[in-house]
Amino acid sequence: MSFTITKDTFLISDSHFGHKAVLKKEPSRLQCAEAHKYNDFYALHRDLWNQAVGKKDKVLHLGDLYFEDGFPYLKELKGTKMLVIGNNDIKKYEKLKNLKSWSVQKGLKLHIPEQEQILKRLYTEFGKSMVKDDIYLNAIVQDIAGERIMFSHFPVFNRKVNDRFNETRDILDRLFKLADCSLNIHGHIHSRQTGHSFCFNVSCEQLGFAPKRLSDILKLWRYKTHI
Protein backbone atom coordinates (compact mmCIF):
# COMPACT_ATOMS: atom_id res chain seq x y z
CA MET A 1 0.00 0.00 0.00
CA SER A 2 1.38 3.40 -1.01
CA PHE A 3 1.51 5.89 1.84
CA THR A 4 3.04 9.33 1.36
CA ILE A 5 3.08 11.89 4.17
CA THR A 6 1.93 15.36 3.13
CA LYS A 7 0.64 18.46 4.91
CA ASP A 8 -2.84 16.96 4.58
CA THR A 9 -1.94 13.74 6.39
CA PHE A 10 -3.60 13.30 9.78
CA LEU A 11 -1.51 12.46 12.86
CA ILE A 12 -2.33 10.82 16.18
CA SER A 13 -0.70 8.44 18.66
CA ASP A 14 -1.37 6.18 21.64
CA SER A 15 -4.99 5.27 21.02
CA HIS A 16 -4.65 2.15 23.18
CA PHE A 17 -7.96 0.83 21.83
CA GLY A 18 -9.36 -1.72 24.30
CA HIS A 19 -6.79 -0.97 27.01
CA LYS A 20 -8.45 -0.73 30.43
CA ALA A 21 -5.42 0.18 32.55
CA VAL A 22 -4.70 3.40 30.66
CA LEU A 23 -8.16 4.71 31.56
CA LYS A 24 -6.95 4.98 35.16
CA LYS A 25 -3.52 6.35 34.27
CA GLU A 26 -4.99 9.01 31.99
CA PRO A 27 -8.21 10.27 33.66
CA SER A 28 -8.97 12.73 30.84
CA ARG A 29 -10.16 9.76 28.79
CA LEU A 30 -13.08 8.89 31.06
CA GLN A 31 -13.74 12.56 31.72
CA CYS A 32 -14.08 13.13 27.99
CA ALA A 33 -16.36 10.10 27.62
CA GLU A 34 -18.57 11.34 30.45
CA ALA A 35 -18.76 14.83 28.95
CA HIS A 36 -19.91 13.31 25.65
CA LYS A 37 -22.31 10.92 27.44
CA TYR A 38 -20.48 7.77 26.33
CA ASN A 39 -20.12 4.69 28.51
CA ASP A 40 -17.33 3.37 26.27
CA PHE A 41 -14.39 5.73 25.83
CA TYR A 42 -13.06 3.78 22.86
CA ALA A 43 -16.38 4.10 21.03
CA LEU A 44 -16.07 7.84 21.57
CA HIS A 45 -12.48 7.82 20.30
CA ARG A 46 -13.65 5.96 17.19
CA ASP A 47 -16.49 8.41 16.59
CA LEU A 48 -14.30 11.50 17.10
CA TRP A 49 -11.77 9.98 14.67
CA ASN A 50 -14.47 9.41 12.05
CA GLN A 51 -15.86 12.92 12.46
CA ALA A 52 -12.42 14.37 11.67
CA VAL A 53 -11.18 11.93 9.02
CA GLY A 54 -12.74 11.18 5.63
CA LYS A 55 -12.64 7.87 3.78
CA LYS A 56 -9.99 9.14 1.34
CA ASP A 57 -7.79 10.80 3.99
CA LYS A 58 -4.50 9.37 5.23
CA VAL A 59 -3.70 8.90 8.91
CA LEU A 60 -0.25 8.28 10.40
CA HIS A 61 -0.55 6.64 13.83
CA LEU A 62 2.62 6.92 15.90
CA GLY A 63 2.34 3.80 17.98
CA ASP A 64 0.50 1.96 20.77
CA LEU A 65 -2.58 1.37 18.69
CA TYR A 66 -4.63 -1.32 20.41
CA PHE A 67 -4.77 -3.83 23.27
CA GLU A 68 -6.70 -6.99 24.09
CA ASP A 69 -10.22 -6.73 22.66
CA GLY A 70 -9.59 -3.38 20.93
CA PHE A 71 -9.02 -4.85 17.46
CA PRO A 72 -12.67 -4.59 16.30
CA TYR A 73 -12.55 -0.78 16.61
CA LEU A 74 -9.78 -0.64 14.01
CA LYS A 75 -12.09 -1.99 11.31
CA GLU A 76 -14.42 0.98 11.82
CA LEU A 77 -11.87 3.79 11.50
CA LYS A 78 -12.02 5.93 8.38
CA GLY A 79 -9.01 6.65 6.20
CA THR A 80 -5.97 4.90 4.78
CA LYS A 81 -3.82 4.32 7.84
CA MET A 82 -0.18 3.59 8.62
CA LEU A 83 1.15 2.51 12.02
CA VAL A 84 4.67 3.40 13.11
CA ILE A 85 5.29 0.55 15.54
CA GLY A 86 5.33 1.57 19.21
CA ASN A 87 6.58 -0.40 22.19
CA ASN A 88 3.12 -1.82 22.91
CA ASP A 89 2.50 -2.90 19.31
CA ILE A 90 5.24 -5.53 19.11
CA LYS A 91 3.07 -8.62 19.49
CA LYS A 92 0.06 -7.11 17.76
CA TYR A 93 1.03 -5.23 14.60
CA GLU A 94 1.15 -8.28 12.33
CA LYS A 95 -2.60 -8.73 12.80
CA LEU A 96 -3.08 -5.49 10.86
CA LYS A 97 -2.25 -7.44 7.71
CA ASN A 98 -5.84 -8.67 7.89
CA LEU A 99 -7.12 -5.10 7.40
CA LYS A 100 -6.78 -3.65 3.87
CA SER A 101 -6.78 -0.04 5.07
CA TRP A 102 -3.77 -0.47 7.40
CA SER A 103 -0.04 -0.68 6.69
CA VAL A 104 2.94 -0.76 9.04
CA GLN A 105 6.22 1.15 9.18
CA LYS A 106 8.89 -1.11 10.67
CA GLY A 107 12.47 0.14 11.00
CA LEU A 108 13.92 3.45 9.82
CA LYS A 109 12.64 5.16 6.69
CA LEU A 110 14.64 8.23 5.65
CA HIS A 111 13.09 10.19 2.79
CA ILE A 112 16.03 12.61 2.59
CA PRO A 113 19.04 12.96 0.25
CA GLU A 114 21.54 12.04 2.98
CA GLN A 115 19.87 8.71 3.71
CA GLU A 116 22.82 6.45 2.87
CA GLN A 117 25.44 8.54 4.67
CA ILE A 118 23.35 8.78 7.83
CA LEU A 119 22.59 5.07 7.93
CA LYS A 120 26.30 4.27 7.48
CA ARG A 121 27.11 6.55 10.42
CA LEU A 122 24.53 4.80 12.58
CA TYR A 123 25.85 1.36 11.55
CA THR A 124 29.40 2.44 12.45
CA GLU A 125 28.48 3.97 15.80
CA PHE A 126 25.94 1.41 17.04
CA GLY A 127 26.48 -1.69 14.91
CA LYS A 128 24.56 -2.61 11.77
CA SER A 129 22.67 -5.50 13.34
CA MET A 130 21.56 -3.35 16.27
CA VAL A 131 20.15 -0.68 13.95
CA LYS A 132 18.51 -3.09 11.51
CA ASP A 133 17.21 -5.70 13.96
CA ASP A 134 15.90 -3.56 16.82
CA ILE A 135 12.12 -4.02 16.66
CA TYR A 136 11.59 -0.89 18.77
CA LEU A 137 13.63 1.32 16.41
CA ASN A 138 10.95 2.69 14.10
CA ALA A 139 10.81 6.18 12.61
CA ILE A 140 10.28 8.19 9.45
CA VAL A 141 12.35 11.26 8.55
CA GLN A 142 11.03 13.50 5.80
CA ASP A 143 11.27 17.08 4.54
CA ILE A 144 7.82 18.70 4.56
CA ALA A 145 6.76 22.36 4.43
CA GLY A 146 10.25 23.69 5.10
CA GLU A 147 10.88 21.41 8.09
CA ARG A 148 12.84 18.21 8.46
CA ILE A 149 10.55 16.11 10.60
CA MET A 150 11.17 12.89 12.48
CA PHE A 151 7.96 10.94 13.05
CA SER A 152 8.46 8.43 15.88
CA HIS A 153 6.69 6.83 18.81
CA PHE A 154 9.35 7.78 21.35
CA PRO A 155 10.20 11.46 21.81
CA VAL A 156 13.86 12.37 21.41
CA PHE A 157 16.03 13.55 24.32
CA ASN A 158 13.37 12.78 26.92
CA ARG A 159 13.20 9.58 28.95
CA LYS A 160 13.03 8.11 32.40
CA VAL A 161 16.16 7.22 34.37
CA ASN A 162 17.08 3.62 33.50
CA ASP A 163 14.53 3.60 30.67
CA ARG A 164 14.24 0.02 29.38
CA PHE A 165 14.41 1.30 25.80
CA ASN A 166 17.64 3.26 26.36
CA GLU A 167 19.58 1.59 23.53
CA THR A 168 16.81 2.21 21.02
CA ARG A 169 16.36 5.77 22.12
CA ASP A 170 20.09 6.49 21.96
CA ILE A 171 19.92 5.69 18.24
CA LEU A 172 16.82 7.83 17.72
CA ASP A 173 18.46 10.76 19.49
CA ARG A 174 21.56 10.37 17.33
CA LEU A 175 19.48 10.09 14.15
CA PHE A 176 17.65 13.30 15.00
CA LYS A 177 20.99 15.12 15.27
CA LEU A 178 22.68 13.49 12.30
CA ALA A 179 19.74 14.28 10.04
CA ASP A 180 19.61 17.83 11.39
CA CYS A 181 15.89 17.53 12.07
CA SER A 182 14.00 20.63 13.11
CA LEU A 183 10.99 18.85 14.61
CA ASN A 184 10.13 15.54 16.27
CA ILE A 185 6.45 14.62 16.11
CA HIS A 186 5.92 11.80 18.59
CA GLY A 187 3.67 10.05 21.08
CA HIS A 188 4.42 7.73 24.03
CA ILE A 189 4.15 10.24 26.90
CA HIS A 190 0.40 10.86 26.70
CA SER A 191 -0.57 13.86 28.88
CA ARG A 192 3.03 14.85 29.64
CA GLN A 193 5.30 17.10 27.59
CA THR A 194 9.03 16.92 26.88
CA GLY A 195 9.67 20.59 27.50
CA HIS A 196 11.65 20.75 24.23
CA SER A 197 10.67 23.31 21.62
CA PHE A 198 11.64 20.84 18.87
CA CYS A 199 9.12 18.22 20.03
CA PHE A 200 5.38 18.03 19.38
CA ASN A 201 3.33 15.41 21.21
CA VAL A 202 0.40 13.99 19.21
CA SER A 203 -0.76 11.52 21.85
CA CYS A 204 -4.56 11.31 22.01
CA GLU A 205 -4.70 13.34 25.19
CA GLN A 206 -3.02 16.27 23.45
CA LEU A 207 -5.33 16.31 20.41
CA GLY A 208 -8.74 15.93 22.01
CA PHE A 209 -8.78 12.24 20.99
CA ALA A 210 -9.16 13.00 17.26
CA PRO A 211 -6.46 13.03 14.55
CA LYS A 212 -5.25 16.42 13.30
CA ARG A 213 -3.76 17.37 9.95
CA LEU A 214 -0.03 17.94 9.80
CA SER A 215 -0.65 21.44 8.42
CA ASP A 216 -2.60 22.35 11.57
CA ILE A 217 0.04 20.78 13.82
CA LEU A 218 2.79 22.79 12.12
CA LYS A 219 0.80 26.01 12.54
CA LEU A 220 0.32 25.32 16.25
CA TRP A 221 3.96 24.31 16.76
CA ARG A 222 5.27 27.42 15.00
CA TYR A 223 2.93 29.62 17.00
CA LYS A 224 4.06 28.10 20.31
CA THR A 225 7.75 28.27 19.47
CA HIS A 226 7.64 31.88 18.29
CA ILE A 227 5.57 33.48 21.05
Side-chain angles (χ1 to χ4, degrees), residues 68-163:
E68 297 135 16
D69 57 352
F71 187 77
Y73 294 99
L74 307 186
K75 302 176 184 179
E76 301 172 343
L77 299 175
K78 289 182 181 178
T80 299
K81 302 159 289 280
M82 174 178 279
L83 172 69
V84 175
I85 298 173
N87 55 289
N88 284 304
D89 299 312
I90 301 306
K91 296 181 179 181
K92 309 178 187 75
Y93 71 89
E94 290 188 356
K95 195 174 180 181
L96 294 179
K97 294 178 181 178
N98 299 322
L99 301 177
K100 293 182 179 179
S101 63
W102 282 92
S103 59
V104 174
Q105 170 55 40
K106 181 181 177 183
L108 300 180
K109 181 72 75 173
L110 311 184
H111 296 288
I112 55 176
E114 309 94 325
Q115 173 186 348
E116 292 187 9
Q117 301 94 305
I118 290 172
L119 287 176
K120 287 180 180 178
R121 286 285 299 274
L122 292 177
Y123 296 160
T124 299
E125 294 181 23
F126 297 97
K128 187 172 183 178
S129 61
M130 186 171 178
V131 174
K132 293 181 71 69
D133 299 337
D134 184 349
I135 189 59
Y136 298 105
L137 184 61
N138 308 296
I140 301 170
V141 177
Q142 185 171 327
D143 294 326
I144 304 176
E147 307 294 343
R148 177 158 290 182
I149 306 173
M150 174 191 283
F151 301 92
S152 59
H153 177 64
F154 298 120
V156 294
F157 303 104
N158 177 275
R159 67 183 90 168
K160 300 175 183 177
V161 177
N162 299 320
D163 190 290

Side-chain angles (χ1 to χ4, degrees), residues 157-199:
F157 303 104
N158 177 275
R159 67 183 90 168
K160 300 175 183 177
V161 177
N162 299 320
D163 190 290
R164 66 191 179 102
F165 304 109
N166 266 332
E167 292 181 346
T168 299
R169 301 182 74 171
D170 283 345
I171 300 174
L172 284 174
D173 291 353
R174 185 65 176 137
L175 171 59
F176 187 83
K177 280 193 169 184
L178 284 174
D180 195 24
C181 296
S182 55
L183 173 61
N184 174 215
I185 298 181
H186 66 86
H188 188 60
I189 57 176
H190 291 265
S191 56
R192 296 186 291 111
Q193 294 287 3
T194 65
H196 298 313
S197 61
F198 50 80
C199 288

